[in-house]
Structures are given as structure tokens and as C-alpha cells.
Amino acid sequence: MSELTSLRPMQLDAIREVANIGAGHAATALSHMTGQTIMITVPTINVAALEEVPPSIVAPDEPVAAVLMSMLGDLTGRTLLVFPTDTATRLAELLLRRAHAPGTELSDLEQSALKEAGNILSGAYMNALSEFMGLMLLPSPPSFAIDMARAVLTTAYLQFGSDRDYVFCVETEFFMQDTGESLRGFFLLLPDVPSLRAILRAVRLA
Amino acid sequence: MSTPMPGDPLAVTESRVGVADSRLLRGSGILSTHGLGSCIALAIYDAETRCAVLAHILLPCEDRAGPVARPARSAVHAVPLLLRKLRSAGAGRRLVAKMAGGASMFGPLLLMGGVNMGERNIKATRRALQDAGVLLVAEDVGGDYGRSVYFDVSTGTMLVRSLKRGDRTL
């Protein structure tokens, strides 16, 4: 834990920059897939006790579509892509080029399209990190869920993390400009603590 | 998801329990906690005095020894805490427990070095209840989906709501 809270501002900046490069590539991939303009925010770093992770994304019981992937290789950790339902629905429409039947849940085909999109976006994110840092990064197959936001997030933090007390998470929010309306999504990078050190070494700030 | 009890004229208060937290209510009202994944919602209840506590448990036990800042965080510390709370509120000895949660979401990835936290939480909570001599009368645990829980203090019923399976009453 001390390791997480004692990161210097310079090191935090470096991690944010690394995440920004990853998110930038993922946003470009999303833009190509959908033909929409995608904007991303400056990544924010959350270091918090498990029970205090800010419920920044959406209300805890609000449904979200999420794609979780494990990173293996020189860096280990996870990436989590989170789409609130309105974004997920619109994204599925754009990917499949057909309208979603109103009042229904996402069909198997639509879910499959989102899972594949998540796979491509996470792959783009990890590839960018890998190239920028000169580290080998292997993405696992994607795992997809539509469920309550808090259930999804705590599972991503807890079920796989090496540290059970603190969460280290780099979050990038992205916006899809769509007919005047802005649809949000979130990209979370959850490096394991030893991998944080590897990232800092790679950018010569260890 | 905003209406706590379906078809219920919700004149009663809903008291929300946060992650790693617990709350006690007497007489009437709804104790709720939202978006449980691998976490456990544990309610212990005394029907006679209508005294109930609900905890949102995150972990089976604490990794580190030493003082425990938030006893409701882990199953082993949460059960004694809930019993203390009930006792000081004047609850009787005929306590029963109901629990929900302990899901294993993103199952396929678990095979790649994940820990099945849901399963561990379920086992640890059952054991902690057994050790404390509290009877577990109903549970809705496991699966691969999230849950929200609403415990009605006046009736002792637990409503478990999920996106996948709809509502279930314990």
C-alpha cells in the first residue's frame, strides 16, 4: 500500500501519460469502427481503499455492459471497458448498422458485437502500451457481462487483483458525439502493483 | 431500479448500507444494499423484537493481522459485530440469518489466475455464522450475476433483485 500512496507527482504524471496513449489508440479504433467522433478526457488515477472507490461511473445498481480482459506478459493486470446501457445500445446499433428493437434487452448478436468491440479496443489499448514501453503484453480473450455497475467494478478490483486492500486504477472517460447527444464510456486500466513498478522502469522513473 | 420494493407503497424508510458497512433497524423499514457481485449481503434478524442488521461484506477475512478498522468488511469480523449490535439494541437470543450474493462474474477469466472470491465469501460467511451459533435459514448465493438486496424489517423477508433472474424472496 505505502508503495501506492508514495508515488511522486512525476510518476503519477507518467502513468497518466501512458494511459493516455493507450486510451488514444483505443479511441481511434472506436472511431474507425463507428464512424463517429470520439473524445477522451485526461486519465484520472484512483488510489483508494476497496470500499471507498468513488462511485464515479454510474449509480451502483445501474446496469452497464462491461468487457474485462486480463493482461499477461511483462505487465499483468486487467483492462475493463464500461458502457452505460444507453451507450451500449447505440454502439451496438452503429456496429451492426441496424436499429435496436425498442423496449427489448440487447440481443445475443448485439452483445456479441459489443464484446468484440471491447476486444478490439482493449487490444488497441494494450498494443499501444506495449509499443510505447517496449514491453510484451498479451491480452486474454475478453469476458463480457451486463450487470449492475458496482457488482462489475468490485469484481474487477477484487476477484483478480493481487492487493486486497487498495485499488489502483487509471480511468479514462470517452464521449461519442452522436446526433447532438453525448454518450459516455469508461476505460479502466488496473495494473497489478508489481506491474506499476515495471511501467515506471520502462519510462525511466522507477 | 429506483423503486425499492415492487408494488409496495413505500411509506417506510429505506436505509442503504454501503460497501463494508452495516446498519441496524427496529420495528419497520427496509435495509438495502446495492450491486453485490462477489460480496455478501448478510442479514441477522430477531423476529420477536423485530430487530435486524444488514452488512455488506467484501472479503472472507482480513489479510493482515492487527486492529480492524472496518469489521463489516470481512465475514469473520462482521458476524460478531452484527451480534454485538443486535444485543445492544435489545434483541433476543433466537436469531436467524439470511444471505445473498457471492457471485462469480467474468467466469472464464477466473481460470487465468483469478481467485474465486464469491465462493470464498460464501464459505467464510457460512462458517462464521456456524461458529457464532446463528441459524442460516435462507440464502441466494453463487451464479454469475449481480444482486441488490432489500430486507423488510417488519416481516423479516429478504427480497433479492437481479437483472438476470428478476426478483426472488427469501
Side-chain angles (χ1 to χ4, degrees):
Chain A
M1 168 50 202
S2 57
E3 201 164 0
L4 293 181
T5 44
S6 63
L7 287 170
R8 286 177 279 126
M10 181 86 150
Q11 291 176 316
L12 290 173
D13 274 345
I15 292 166
R16 249 191 296 267
E17 181 53 24
V18 165
N20 199 25
I21 290 168
H25 280 73
T28 307
L30 183 59
S31 177
H32 282 310
M33 270 190 279
T34 58
Q36 307 283 312
T37 306
I38 310 290
M39 319 267 270
I40 58 172
T41 60
V42 175
T44 51
I45 298 182
N46 289 326
V47 185
L50 267 173
E51 61 271 21
E52 281 155 9
V53 177
S56 58
I57 293 187
V58 285
D61 56 350
E62 198 72 25
V64 294
V67 181
L68 183 70
M69 284 168 78
S70 278
M71 297 190 285
L72 305 161
D74 294 335
L75 291 184
T76 59
R78 292 149 311 287
T79 59
L80 181 71
L81 195 55
V82 181
F83 302 119
T85 28
D86 54 345
T87 310
T89 308
R90 184 68 190 121
L91 195 54
E93 287 185 332
L94 288 167
L95 293 168
L96 296 168
R97 295 177 211 285
R98 62 182 205 203
H100 171 75
T104 61
E105 296 189 352
L106 290 171
S107 66
D108 286 350
L109 183 66
E110 287 169 322
Q111 296 195 20
S112 172
L114 289 174
K115 182 176 175 181
E116 184 49 26
N119 190 16
I120 293 168
L121 299 190
S122 302
Y125 192 109
M126 289 188 212
N127 269 339
L129 296 193
S130 166
E131 268 177 39
F132 174 68
M133 295 188 289
L135 297 171
M136 186 185 66
L137 262 177
L138 301 168
S140 76
S143 183
F144 180 79
I146 295 182
D147 219 315
M148 303 167 180
R150 185 189 274 160
V152 165
L153 288 172
T154 45
T155 301
Y157 297 145
L158 205 62
Q159 190 104 276
F160 305 93
S162 52
D163 195 303
R164 306 247 172 273
D165 283 333
Y166 282 85
V167 173
F168 184 93
C169 163
V170 194
E171 178 186 316
T172 312
E173 190 172 354
F174 58 86
F175 296 93
M176 188 165 71
Q177 298 296 339
D178 184 44
T179 55
E181 157 184 41
S182 173
L183 295 167
R184 321 186 290 159
F186 302 86
F187 210 109
L188 274 61
L189 177 69
L190 301 153
D192 292 335
V193 177
S195 295
L196 261 186
R197 236 171 293 147
I199 293 174
L200 292 172
R201 263 201 308 276
V203 295
R204 296 186 180 76
L205 280 174
Chain B
M1 299 299 293
S2 55
T3 47
M5 279 286 200
D8 194 331
L10 215 94
V12 284
T13 44
E14 184 193 341
S15 184
R16 284 198 180 204
V17 180
V19 180
D21 209 353
S22 68
R23 279 189 178 200
L24 180 134
L25 272 185
R26 274 191 85 132
S28 67
I30 306 283
L31 285 164
S32 71
T33 192
H34 298 251
L36 300 149
S38 58
C39 299
I40 302 269
L42 173 66
I44 306 183
Y45 176 65
D46 174 33
E48 215 170 304
T49 56
R50 284 193 189 165
C51 213
V53 267
L54 182 75
H56 186 130
I57 298 168
L58 200 59
L59 300 167
C61 54
E62 295 290 341
D63 283 348
R64 277 153 219 171
V68 178
R70 301 190 71 150
R73 220 167 82 111
S74 63
V76 285
H77 294 108
V79 172
L81 169 80
L82 299 189
L83 295 180
R84 272 201 305 280
K85 281 191 161 185
L86 284 166
R87 216 171 297 134
S88 55
R93 290 191 162 270
R94 298 180 60 188
L95 299 170
V96 291
K98 293 184 180 181
M99 72 179 205
S104 304
M105 299 168 69
F106 300 110
L109 284 186
L110 271 179
L111 301 171
M112 313 185 64
V115 194
N116 196 337
M117 195 52 81
E119 201 55 46
R120 288 183 54 197
N121 279 338
I122 296 167
K123 285 189 181 147
T125 309
R126 282 187 193 140
R127 193 170 322 120
L129 286 170
Q130 204 177 1
D131 291 348
V134 178
L135 186 65
L136 180 64
V137 291
E139 61 175 21
D140 177 32
V141 293
D144 62 350
Y145 52 91
R147 297 167 171 89
S148 285
V149 162
Y150 305 85
F151 189 87
D152 188 333
V153 178
S154 60
T155 61
T157 53
M158 183 185 261
L159 174 77
V160 184
R161 175 170 279 181
S162 69
L163 297 174
K164 260 198 188 159
R165 300 287 159 91
D167 292 350
R168 206 184 146 191
T169 309
L170 300 178

